[in-house]
Amino acid sequence: MPYIFVFTSVVCTTGPTVVGDRSSDEEVMQLLGAKLKPRPGSEHELQWVTPDCPRIVLDKLELLGFRVCSQSGQGQTILWTLHKPLA
């Protein structure tokens, strides 16, 4: 998958950071040290979560060839969209 969404709420200097949903590339999620966990408030929806802060996640994804293509925030949530060109 060439796109990844990374987001965090409240404080972006500490983790956890959400890095994907149940259909995200499992190999990339493992390289990020993420675990598949239920989304708060919805036990049926799973998301990949890493204990790392967003800066560490973004650094790891850059090393894997991903680049930030957009960033947005609302309230206390910030979201980055990253893209990896197809080889």
Side-chain angles (χ1 to χ4, degrees):
M1 284 183 216
Y3 286 93
I4 285 186
F5 294 115
V6 173
F7 72 89
T8 191
S9 296
V10 183
V11 180
C12 67
T13 56
T14 62
T17 302
V18 177
V19 293
D21 60 18
R22 74 170 64 212
S23 63
S24 296
D25 184 327
E26 191 170 338
E27 184 178 337
V28 172
M29 298 299 109
Q30 289 178 357
L31 291 169
L32 295 174
K35 304 285 185 211
L36 197 56
K37 298 181 176 185
R39 191 178 76 142
S42 177
E43 294 180 22
H44 302 292
E45 292 183 46
L46 299 175
Q47 60 188 13
W48 289 94
V49 181
T50 178
D52 292 333
C53 70
R55 183 187 59 79
I56 298 298
V57 172
L58 294 171
D59 286 349
K60 288 179 179 180
L61 287 169
E62 182 176 24
L63 293 174
L64 295 173
F66 287 89
R67 299 290 180 256
V68 173
C69 55
S70 71
Q71 176 269 322
S72 180
Q74 181 171 347
Q76 295 182 337
T77 300
I78 187 166
L79 168 88
W80 295 266
T81 304
L82 292 91
H83 179 261
K84 180 178 182 178
L86 297 173

